[in-house]
Amino acid sequence: MNPREFRDVLGNFPTSVVAVTTTGADGLPHGMVVGTFTSVSLDPPLVSFLADRSSATLRTILGAGRFCANALAGNQERLSRKLASGPGRGRFEGVAWSPSSNGNPVLDGVVAWVDCAVEREVGIGDHLLVVGRVRDLRVESMKTPLLFFRGGYGDYLSSAAVLLDSLVGWDEIGRQPGAHP
Ligand SMILES: Cc1cc2nc3c(=O)[nH]c(=O)nc-3n(C[C@H](O)[C@H](O)[C@H](O)COP(=O)(O)O)c2cc1C
């Protein structure tokens, strides 16, 4: 198995798109996009994500000892590209956010967020598993989430909603007359 094959096959497992954010010693916001956010334990309430050992944001999060996991919404692909690319400095230019009670950036327009204190870090291969103890959390909107699959972004579509739309006839809107269903 070569790394290309590993990436290609693992890309078939869809992930959420989450911005993990914190503030540096300078008080400025820092953050990066991860597809590895997951819940870990209910009692005590723990969540986690995996970060490449070379990640600059990882160092800032460990320095601060806290982070916020922001679940990006289906209409935030541009924001995700901004937070996942280039050098960390400037990533937050033009990005609206407000501080959580623990001081972590909560991004405007997200689906939900989970605010954490770093509980533990575990080195695994070329990544570090960062485990966070949940301090605060909230659902911000009923927007659908941004997803990542086979190397591209996509929006979530509930099959129940599709069924409902077809029953109500809303799926007819915009369809060309005479076009096949
Ligand atoms: C959809 C998506 C998921 C990602 N998931 C992760 C991840 O789980 N862990 C990670 O270390 N990097 C992940 N990345 C890459 C980081 O966002 C990217 O390398 C970022 O530039 C790291 O920032 P930093 O060097 O400032 O820490 C992902 C990128 C995208 C677009």
Side-chain angles (χ1 to χ4, degrees), residues 17 32-36 50-52 55-58 84 91 127 148 153:
V17 181
M32 67 188 277
V33 168
V34 298
T36 50
L50 285 147
D52 194 296
S55 162
T57 307
L58 169 67
R91 262 182 209 166
H127 277 58
F148 200 75
Y153 288 96

Side-chain angles (χ1 to χ4, degrees), residues 90-150:
R91 262 182 209 166
F92 277 78
E93 256 167 40
V95 175
W97 61 276
S98 51
S100 69
S101 52
N102 299 300
N104 296 311
V106 174
L107 306 178
D108 280 16
V110 298
V111 174
W113 52 266
V114 182
D115 205 28
C116 303
V118 174
E119 172 91 358
R120 200 192 295 186
E121 34 185 291
V122 186
I124 303 175
D126 53 12
H127 277 58
L128 217 70
L129 178 75
V130 180
V131 179
R133 180 176 281 251
V134 179
R135 295 284 184 229
D136 196 6
L137 73 176
R138 189 171 307 159
V139 175
E140 283 291 344
S141 78
M142 293 315 289
K143 287 158 99 179
T144 51
L146 187 61
L147 302 178
F148 200 75
F149 179 58
R150 289 188 187 143

Side-chain angles (χ1 to χ4, degrees), residues 62-100:
L62 297 181
R66 54 180 170 73
F67 67 91
C68 183
N70 297 260
L72 297 194
N75 66 346
Q76 292 185 309
E77 178 177 335
R78 277 181 63 184
L79 175 63
S80 176
R81 289 184 184 280
K82 196 169 161 63
L83 295 176
S85 64
R89 202 174 286 271
R91 262 182 209 166
F92 277 78
E93 256 167 40
V95 175
W97 61 276
S98 51
S100 69

Side-chain angles (χ1 to χ4, degrees), residues 11 22 123:
T22 192

